[in-house]
Amino acid sequence: MPGGKRTRSEGWRKVRALRLEDIRHWWMRRLPVLEWVPAYDWKENLVPDAVSGMMLAVQQVTQGLAFAVLSSVHPVFGLYGSFFPVIIYAIFGMGRHVATGTFALTSLISANAVERLVPSAGTNFTANNNSGVLGLSEFEMQRIGVAAAVSFLGGIIQVAMFMLQLGSATFLLTEPVISAMTTGAATHVVTSQVKYLLGMKMPYISGPLGFFHIYAYIFENIRSVQLEALLLSLLSIVVLVLVKELNEKFQRNIKIVLPIDLVLIIATSAACYYADMEYAYGLEVVGHIPEGLPPPKVPPMNVLSEVVTEAFGVALVGYVASLALAQGSAKKFKYTVDDNQEFLAHGLSNVIPSFFFCIPSAAAMGRTSLLYSTGARTQVACLISSALILVVIYTIGPMLYWLPMCVLASIIIVGLKGMLMQFRDLKKYWNVDKIDWSIWVSTYVFTICFAANVGLLYGVVSTIVTVIFRFSRARTLNLKNMKEVEYKYKTEDNCKSLKQVKIVSVNNPLVFLNARKFQADLTKIIQKDSTSSQTCEDVNKCEQNTLLCSFSNGSCHGESLQPSQSERRVLVLDCSGLSLFDYTGASMLLQIYMDCKNRHIDVLLARCKASLIKAMQYGGNLESENPVFFESVSSAIDAIQIHRNYSKFSEQSEV
């Protein structure tokens, strides 16, 4: 009895240890920060991470201000969106070089909801109707409330996708679709900034074909272009492009690149302040930036039902763009990224910051490229940038009052250079695959004409349709040469008797998409063999005609005589390439077997998986005097030869 208690207690101890190990493994998977922080090499990584973090903070501040304006909310909320999501992703995300924060595409999508639910009105911008929060007007707080609701619901959708394990479905997001969608969305962002570049006052235009309506409005009101804003925009773009090109060219020779974005912001803000450009020339500036972080507040739940479309767009577009960058960095620096974990990381990076008045977030190509070029090693670089952004929020923010909006727009456009340069991929797709080229072009057109989420949906649907079309028409069978089989025949009689044996290799999965094509390919192979073989006797002619129509339920007219065992034709199917099948595929294979059997054609299946054998045995009557399934093609041919030798011996004995 004591021995039984001891055994039972040891078993419980093992179960408890196993459960603790499973729990520990689960937490390590869900909180990657527990894995990389203990292994952080302070001596090797801290300096490059600190340098990258400082450079990243500059870009986060400029893009935060710019993308907040793009999202139709006050610029200060872009600073919050560059602080909170970065910390959340560093805890839950797996991309070491993924700089999460404000993102042009998600900002553009959320702007649709903001402008639709809280439209612009001149009286709402007055400071008289103060909300008491951050010193901003009630109108501005209503707008950020809608943007925060989009972020909250979009994050909830991403977390739900994580719980449903939909990360594995990302194989549908092919490179041409992602490239076309992001390029089209970048074109939309550039279009939305044209009014700031030109210094024009124009209403918010969105919806289907809104892209063309914006340019139509600009050309109709071309006389209202502000010359001072246009010249400052052109000068800013030229300086940004020139300096960034020089930074890239001499990147290997200099340790720290020139932060031209920061230099441009300081220079133009100082010039605008001392020249009083806001009043002298009517230049639009950023305006008052409140100090400090806001207290947490629940996003307005009453508008969630009205922002479902934008929330889905933010969830899908943001995740797709971020995952592509995470996978690219993982491939470049040789580590792994869990697609499903990224759903959780980006979902929480949208849900939690939404309580702090943050706009939707995602990873951006420009920030990730900056981490590459500055030599960042880990997520510590992003955390250092967050600390510096916090300093900006509490101390430097109010100094950005005089920053011209046209300069911010110039920074946005130049920052989208990487996405816009994806037009060069068209040549690659044309040379490799014309269908992928057409998918890229059509996805881009749909994105331009409608929206990024519509273009993404179209691209995925087009990919699925293309796969179905190609799969159903792909070659499913391959006729093997007897020399390819590792089997030797010593006598000429053996070679003559094996002329009636055909070995066919199954190359693709056999499912409902290609079952009919499989049947047609097999018919062609047998038909080709039948027409090339010489007919010596009338019985053989009838048998060949029967074979030609065996797969279409045809019949042979005339006297049908059963051939001798040594003259029966044999079809050997090498099923080693049949990695996947469904009920339709197994039924088609069984139908072919039974049809050939009725026409006096022996069918042998070699190298079948156990699941296929079980499915065929369950689906029909495979009872036969001779075995049907063989471990290899050679063993099947051995069986054919033994059976034919035995048949010849029997015939000679009867004679």
Side-chain angles (χ1 to χ4, degrees), residues 2-18:
K5 290 183 178 179
R6 190 181 302 110
T7 303
R8 193 180 300 110
S9 62
E10 290 177 357
W12 277 109
R13 193 179 299 113
K14 291 181 180 179
V15 172
R16 193 179 299 110
L18 179 62

Side-chain angles (χ1 to χ4, degrees), residues 224-257:
S224 62
V225 171
Q226 193 175 15
L227 185 60
E228 295 80 5
L230 177 60
L231 293 176
L232 186 56
S233 300
L234 293 176
L235 179 62
S236 300
I237 291 175
V238 170
V239 171
L240 286 169
V241 172
L242 181 62
V243 175
K244 289 190 175 185
E245 288 293 332
L246 292 175
N247 284 339
E248 292 180 5
K249 184 176 182 180
F250 298 102
Q251 179 181 345
R252 297 181 179 179
N253 301 328
I254 55 177
K255 295 182 178 180
I256 301 178
V257 297

Side-chain angles (χ1 to χ4, degrees), residues 31 49 60 66 79 83 112 124 160 196-197 235 242 255 265 272 292 320 332 379 397 399 445 491 524 534 613 629 650:
L31 293 172
D49 282 344
Q60 286 275 34
L79 297 179
F83 174 72
N112 293 331
N124 289 328
Y196 296 113
L197 296 177
L235 179 62
L242 181 62
K255 295 182 178 180
I265 288 175
C272 186
V320 168
K332 183 179 180 67
Q379 295 94 321
M399 301 180 186
V445 171
T491 62
K524 289 180 181 178
Q534 294 182 355
I613 297 175
F629 302 100
S650 299

Side-chain angles (χ1 to χ4, degrees), residues 19-84:
R19 289 178 178 175
L20 290 176
E21 184 63 26
D22 290 341
I23 293 173
R24 178 180 174 277
H25 180 66
W26 187 89
W27 278 108
M28 294 291 288
R29 288 175 55 196
R30 297 296 165 246
L31 293 172
V33 66
L34 299 177
E35 183 177 352
W36 64 264
V37 167
Y40 187 77
D41 190 340
W42 294 91
K43 292 182 179 180
E44 293 290 332
N45 299 334
L46 184 58
V47 173
D49 282 344
V51 173
S52 298
M54 289 186 290
M55 301 299 297
L56 179 61
V58 174
Q59 197 169 56
Q60 286 275 34
V61 170
T62 56
Q63 290 188 350
L65 296 172
F67 294 156
V69 175
L70 181 61
S71 190
S72 298
V73 299
H74 194 278
V76 72
F77 299 118
L79 297 179
Y80 304 152
S82 301
F83 174 72
F84 290 103

